[in-house]
Amino acid sequence: MSLLTHLLAVLFGMGSWVSINGLWVELPLLVPQIPEGWFLPSYLSVIIQMANVGPLFVTLMHRFHPGKLNEKAVIYSIIALGTVASLLLGFFWKETLVVAGLHRSVALLVLTFFLAAVDCTSSVTFLPFMMQLKAEYLTTYYIGEGVSGLLPALVALVQGVGVVHCINSTQIANLTSNKSSFELQARYQPPNFSVEAFFFFLSAMMLVCLVAFILLNHHPAVARELPNGRYTNGVKAKNKKKWPEQKAMLELYNKPTKRRSGFGTGAYSVVEVVYIFVILAWVNALSNVVLPSVQSYSCLPYGNNAYHLSATMAAVSNPLACFIALFLPIRSLVVMGALTVLGSGVGVYIMWMAVLSPCPLLVHGAWGGVIMVVAWVLFVLTLSYVKVMVGVILRDEGHSALVWCGAVVQLGSLLGAVTMFPLVSVFHLFSSGDPCNTQCP
């Protein structure tokens, strides 16, 4: 295997979700300076789901007009769009327009839609493109996809996003007796560099992804890593010229086997295919939307350090799980189910603590924060490994299976968003904890 090809696969996968992940981690610096305030996350959730029109179009084209869609042209277009949109955000994210008598961040919301369209469409284009390379490079691609969440988080940490200092604040309790009380008040420190610089960094990362994609298509070292079967626009090209000896060997070793279903190679029954896709949708709903939407509620009651440590370690766990899968690939459906149950069980604990916020279990002890950090690491580690397992299985089933893989990923995220948006933003079932003051019995 080529180390260069592995590196290019990582850089290519990094561009899949780096823009939207970067936007989320920058929210603490965005919301104080725009009219939407903390309603912005709710708007972003809706905009990202609206952007699923991109993967829907690609999936329908593959379904009803296979081979007609120029997959490489689509990838070039969306990466270029993501690069330009991130660059424009650096210049116009604070600009507002008056809409219905109120100031709105129109430029920010519109450019976010384009970024979301890029990232959502990458799920149904980047993965199928990896069919052109050997199976080992698909796992490396998943490492890059994990880095797309880790790298913006690390840069945001260097920037100082969300770093809180607790200071004494004197409050007058009784004006007549002139009595006062003291409590700690959270103050966010200024960032080490501007929001504009962060968006320029995101644009540079998309540009790196574009260069990596160009090299994956044209570098001679990558060409030597291509398997015998070539894919063009999602349709496998056939080698028309074979020597008689080759034909005899193919007939000997490729005897037709009984197909268990019409999906892919027919290696899995209809029930097993449904089982794989249900797990894929469930895992992505939990890890992409449901649990991230309550991360602050589950962690902040244990302190700001527990919150930042859990977010950082969870971001590290994603590429770590993909790295483990590179050396320990497992295709067992039983193991997949067991890991899904384990990760979901840990997710239930995290959700339970979020519901109990601002007074979850062990809130006054050091072990509460430690358990929460470990829970987030275990949750992301197990479910990220399941994602890679599904990707490896579907990669063996062919190009169209990976297209459906990307579509189901987006479907799971959509269902998660539809479920959590009203619970968090409409019914307000969760209460945020104060990182400096814990008022629990």
Side-chain angles (χ1 to χ4, degrees):
M1 291 185 292
S2 166
L3 182 60
L4 174 63
T5 308
H6 276 298
L7 176 61
L8 293 176
V10 169
L11 296 178
F12 176 56
M14 181 189 66
S16 58
W17 282 93
V18 70
S19 299
I20 290 298
N21 287 333
L23 196 60
W24 280 110
V25 299
E26 197 71 358
L27 282 180
L29 297 182
L30 295 178
V31 294
Q33 304 183 58
I34 59 174
E36 288 78 11
W38 278 108
F39 286 105
L40 180 62
S42 301
Y43 295 156
L44 293 185
S45 299
V46 175
I47 289 172
I48 291 171
Q49 301 316 314
M50 290 171 58
N52 278 310
V53 64
L56 177 61
F57 170 77
V58 173
T59 304
L60 292 177
M61 284 293 293
H62 279 292
R63 174 64 180 86
F64 296 107
H65 300 285
K68 297 293 184 181
L69 188 67
N70 190 328
E71 198 167 74
K72 290 184 180 179
V74 173
I75 295 176
Y76 276 120
S77 300
I78 63 175
I79 297 177
L81 177 61
T83 304
V84 174
S86 299
L87 184 65
L88 292 177
L89 269 176
F91 293 105
F92 301 109
W93 70 274
K94 283 196 296 187
E95 301 298 324
T96 61
L97 292 175
V98 177
V99 179
L102 298 174
H103 286 276
R104 296 295 181 190
S105 305
V106 176
L108 174 63
L109 298 177
V110 171
L111 290 172
T112 297
F113 173 81
F114 287 124
L115 290 180
V118 169
D119 291 358
C120 291
T121 308
S122 73
S123 297
V124 292
T125 52
F126 285 20
L127 272 176
F129 168 79
M130 294 304 296
M131 279 294 299
Q132 297 193 16
L133 303 176
K134 294 178 181 178
E136 294 84 355
Y137 296 111
L138 180 63
T139 306
T140 312
Y141 166 84
Y142 274 113
I143 294 176
E145 195 172 82
V147 172
S148 73
L150 172 62
L151 194 57
L154 294 179
V155 173
L157 281 178
V158 175
Q159 187 184 15
V161 172
V163 176
V164 174
H165 293 296
C166 299
I167 62 173
N168 287 328
S169 176
T170 303
Q171 293 189 351
I172 303 300
N174 191 322
L175 293 177
T176 58
S177 60
N178 200 27
K179 291 182 179 180
S180 61
S181 62
F182 296 91
E183 68 174 11
L184 294 176
Q185 185 177 10
R187 290 283 179 87
Y188 290 89
Q189 74 172 26
N192 296 320
F193 54 87
S194 66
V195 174
E196 290 81 2
F198 185 84
F199 284 132
F200 294 151
F201 159 77
L202 295 182
S203 181
M205 291 300 96
M206 291 301 298
L207 189 60
V208 169
C209 173
L210 178 60
V211 173
F213 182 62
I214 293 173
L215 293 177
L216 283 173
N217 281 287
H218 300 290
H219 199 283
V222 178
R224 290 192 293 269
E225 294 296 316
L226 296 176
N228 292 330
R230 297 295 302 273
Y231 288 80
T232 304
N233 289 341
V235 180
K236 190 172 184 179
K238 298 179 180 179
N239 187 0
K240 296 181 179 180
K241 294 183 179 180
K242 293 186 178 70
W243 295 100
E245 295 83 358
Q246 291 176 309
K247 293 182 179 179
M249 294 295 288
L250 287 173
E251 291 175 0
L252 179 64
Y253 290 106
N254 295 326
K255 291 182 179 180
T257 57
K258 184 178 179 181
R259 294 174 60 89
R260 301 176 64 191
S261 71
F263 180 79
T265 63
Y268 296 95
S269 66
V270 174
V271 174
E272 289 172 333
V273 171
V274 172
Y275 168 79
I276 291 170
F277 280 125
V278 167
I279 283 184
L280 182 63
W282 172 258
V283 165
N284 280 277
L286 289 184
S287 60
N288 293 351
V289 180
V290 174
L291 270 299
S293 65
V294 298
Q295 186 170 29
S296 61
Y297 300 106
S298 66
C299 299
L300 273 180
Y302 298 106
N304 195 60
N305 289 335
Y307 172 66
H308 279 283
L309 189 58
S310 64
T312 304
M313 294 303 296
V316 172
S317 300
N318 193 326
L320 176 61
C322 302
F323 189 76
I324 294 172
L326 182 63
F327 298 97
L328 190 64
I330 299 176
R331 291 174 170 82
S332 169
L333 300 186
V334 175
V335 174
M336 181 195 302
L339 289 177
T340 302
V341 171
L342 174 61
S344 301
V346 177
V348 168
Y349 173 79
I350 294 173
M351 181 64 72
W352 183 26
M353 296 304 102
V355 171
L356 294 178
S357 177
C359 298
L361 300 179
L362 303 175
V363 67
H364 293 297
W367 282 106
V370 173
I371 293 173
M372 182 53 63
V373 172
V374 172
W376 270 101
V377 170
L378 188 59
F379 169 76
V380 175
L381 196 65
T382 53
L383 296 194
S384 296
Y385 188 86
V386 170
K387 291 181 189 179
V388 180
M389 289 178 65
V390 174
V392 170
I393 289 173
L394 295 181
R395 195 266 176 204
D396 293 340
E397 296 305 302
H399 179 276
S400 112
L402 284 181
V403 174
W404 283 107
C405 176
V408 173
V409 166
Q410 293 307 118
L411 176 62
S413 300
L414 173 62
L415 294 177
V418 169
T419 302
M420 294 306 297
F421 179 79
L423 297 180
V424 175
S425 302
V426 178
F427 299 108
H428 304 289
L429 296 184
F430 302 92
S431 300
S432 181
D434 190 328
C436 294
N437 299 284
T438 303
Q439 298 178 351
C440 296

